Amino acid sequence: QTEVQSSVVGMHPRGTITVYDQRYFQGRRMEFTACCQNIMECGMENIRSLKVECGAWVGYEHSSFCGQQFILEKGDYPCFESYMGSNSYRIERMISFRPICCANHKDSRMTVYELENMMGRQFELCDDYPSLQAMGWIHNEVGSMQIQCGAFVCYQYPGYRGYQYIMECDCHGGEYKCYREYGTHAQTPQIQSIRRIQH
Amino acid sequence: QTEVQSSVVGMHPRGTITVYDQRYFQGRRMEFTACCQNIMECGMENIRSLKVECGAWVGYEHSSFCGQQFILEKGDYPCFESYMGSNSYRIERMISFRPICCANHKDSRMTVYELENMMGRQFELCDDYPSLQAMGWIHNEVGSMQIQCGAFVCYQYPGYRGYQYIMECDCHGGEYKCYREYGTHAQTPQIQSIRRIQH
């Protein structure tokens, strides 16, 4: 059973993701090269496994790119546990997804601020930080942030755990002025690890 | 209520971890500067939150450094979800822990092999790889590995998700000849992301 949905390619000429409606790459299969706002409109009730063949993608809990976010890089994701973070609010849904426009690692650059609206102490990041506190950031929170170049994943806990927030220079003009802009699921400004995204 | 257990310091002159028997840094509190083989022998039935003040540590599901492993870097871990990976087998226990001896990021070096006993294709790693497949490794498995310098976390799924395996040049002479040596909880050789550990 193979269905291919080709569409005009957006930012990623060769970004490809294959999704399945059953665990371990079983059941109905669809291949995408551009964003999907609602997998149910393609006749699938949910996505239970997937393979990223090319590019970097973000998966979302709800349709229209809402709810929890999951960074999806090249590789095999055989079950829900493989895309989720380690959240207490455990979801088993991925209904929409889209490709991300990244930069080369060496060009990626963002600034974190202590307070909302780019106020207070600040720190410029251009690397991967499994612990912001280890690099000298004294808080377990980030009040606001600005992405100058590329795309980053920010995580609630150290070591790339907990809620994920995908931040891009191409969204909001790269400005995230308070934690409510980090994602529709953000409940606090708690962020303790950050890394770059690359294809 | 504060209890401090000082002990002869091993590899990390200033490594410090504070553990609590209740979530959100509540309840009984103990501070450690060296390894703990069984928190129950210190009169705590479990660890439900913790703060790493300095150094990098590994937490274990069972006593004597057995069962699931969790990398713990500087920062605040208010609940189980903040130390666990995104595993289907969800545990709510951390009974032993120890500090890890790391290297500087620029010195960290390891080799992954396609087959057991350092056979088949190989690839030398000296960076962080959220997707091994994106760097050209065609498998979603690693048959064996050798750590030449430093310490690494290997993960079952891309993007630093799933089971964690802590690999050190100082353990087993840095040699992990088959997946059963990756950890007592390893059930398959599936490894899709790897990163360096640094204090």
Side-chain angles (χ1 to χ4, degrees):
Chain A
Q1 234 177 342
T2 300
E3 293 171 50
V4 175
Q5 173 169 318
S6 288
S7 44
V8 177
V9 173
M11 299 171 289
H12 293 277
R14 295 153 312 159
T16 311
I17 189 170
T18 307
V19 301
Y20 302 81
D21 70 354
Q22 300 300 325
R23 291 163 63 96
Y24 294 95
F25 320 116
Q26 301 291 311
R28 188 136 176 246
R29 169 183 182 277
M30 293 184 86
E31 188 179 308
F32 289 83
T33 54
C35 65
C36 170
Q37 204 179 320
N38 189 342
I39 195 70
M40 293 192 253
E41 290 177 0
C42 303
M44 262 193 201
E45 55 158 324
N46 198 352
I47 295 167
R48 295 195 177 87
S49 57
L50 65 93
K51 291 186 188 201
V52 173
E53 270 104 43
C54 191
W57 298 72
V58 205
Y60 295 86
E61 178 183 6
H62 300 304
S63 61
S64 301
F65 320 113
C66 290
Q68 276 196 54
Q69 307 170 3
F70 322 110
I71 176 73
L72 301 169
E73 289 146 312
K74 190 172 178 177
D76 298 347
Y77 300 81
C79 54
F80 286 118
E81 295 78 27
S82 59
Y83 7 123
M84 296 188 322
S86 59
N87 307 316
S88 53
Y89 167 45
R90 220 165 142 81
I91 61 154
E92 303 214 331
R93 281 167 68 89
M94 182 176 133
I95 303 300
S96 56
F97 53 87
R98 65 180 178 84
I100 315 171
C101 195
C102 310
N104 287 325
H105 263 178
K106 64 176 176 38
D107 299 326
S108 300
R109 216 171 67 252
M110 70 175 283
T111 308
V112 293
Y113 298 86
E114 184 185 6
L115 306 174
E116 293 192 355
N117 296 309
M118 299 21 173
M119 306 277 282
R121 286 168 202 242
Q122 57 179 273
F123 198 91
E124 188 171 310
L125 308 179
C126 52
D127 199 349
D128 294 351
Y129 298 90
S131 163
L132 289 185
Q133 288 188 41
M135 78 163 197
W137 191 250
I138 55 167
H139 315 283
N140 61 17
E141 299 185 344
V142 169
S144 53
M145 53 188 115
Q146 170 122 37
I147 317 301
Q148 283 91 14
C149 187
F152 292 80
V153 202
C154 302
Y155 295 84
Q156 191 181 7
Y157 301 124
Y160 311 127
R161 294 178 179 100
Y163 282 134
Q164 301 171 34
Y165 307 104
I166 315 297
M167 305 297 188
E168 293 153 279
C169 67
D170 294 332
C171 288
H172 303 84
E175 292 192 339
Y176 297 86
K177 290 180 186 161
C178 72
Y179 77 83
R180 288 173 299 276
E181 295 182 2
Y182 298 173
T184 59
H185 63 302
Q187 289 153 10
T188 72
Q190 190 174 38
I191 289 184
Q192 298 194 69
S193 48
I194 296 181
R195 67 179 179 90
R196 298 161 296 177
I197 306 172
Q198 194 175 28
H199 304 155
Chain B
Q1 233 175 343
T2 300
E3 294 170 50
V4 176
Q5 173 170 319
S6 287
S7 46
V8 177
V9 174
M11 298 171 288
H12 293 278
R14 296 153 311 160
T16 311
I17 189 170
T18 306
V19 301
Y20 302 81
D21 71 355
Q22 300 300 326
R23 290 162 65 96
Y24 293 94
F25 320 115
Q26 301 291 312
R28 187 134 178 248
R29 169 183 182 278
M30 295 184 85
E31 188 179 309
F32 290 82
T33 55
C35 65
C36 169
Q37 203 179 320
N38 189 341
I39 195 71
M40 293 192 255
E41 290 175 2
C42 303
M44 260 193 204
E45 54 157 326
N46 198 353
I47 295 167
R48 294 196 179 85
S49 57
L50 65 93
K51 290 185 188 203
V52 173
E53 270 105 42
C54 191
W57 298 72
V58 205
Y60 296 86
E61 179 182 5
H62 300 304
S63 61
S64 302
F65 319 114
C66 289
Q68 275 197 56
Q69 307 169 2
F70 320 110
I71 177 73
L72 301 169
E73 289 146 310
K74 190 171 177 177
D76 298 346
Y77 300 81
C79 55
F80 286 118
E81 294 79 26
S82 59
Y83 7 123
M84 295 187 322
S86 58
N87 307 317
S88 53
Y89 165 46
R90 220 167 141 81
I91 61 155
E92 302 214 330
R93 282 167 67 89
M94 182 176 132
I95 302 301
S96 57
F97 52 87
R98 65 180 178 82
I100 315 171
C101 194
C102 309
N104 287 325
H105 263 177
K106 64 176 176 39
D107 300 326
S108 300
R109 217 170 66 251
M110 70 176 283
T111 308
V112 292
Y113 297 86
E114 184 185 5
L115 305 174
E116 294 192 355
N117 297 310
M118 295 32 170
M119 306 277 282
R121 285 168 202 241
Q122 56 178 274
F123 198 91
E124 188 171 310
L125 307 179
C126 51
D127 200 348
D128 295 350
Y129 297 91
S131 163
L132 289 186
Q133 288 188 43
M135 76 161 200
W137 190 249
I138 56 167
H139 315 284
N140 62 18
E141 299 185 342
V142 170
S144 54
M145 52 188 116
Q146 169 123 37
I147 317 302
Q148 283 91 15
C149 186
F152 291 80
V153 202
C154 302
Y155 296 83
Q156 190 181 8
Y157 301 124
Y160 310 127
R161 295 176 178 100
Y163 283 135
Q164 300 172 34
Y165 308 105
I166 315 298
M167 305 297 188
E168 293 154 278
C169 67
D170 295 332
C171 289
H172 304 82
E175 293 191 340
Y176 297 86
K177 292 181 185 161
C178 73
Y179 77 82
R180 289 172 298 278
E181 295 182 3
Y182 298 173
T184 59
H185 62 302
Q187 288 153 11
T188 72
Q190 190 173 37
I191 288 184
Q192 298 193 70
S193 49
I194 296 181
R195 68 178 179 90
R196 298 161 296 176
I197 306 172
Q198 193 175 29
H199 304 157

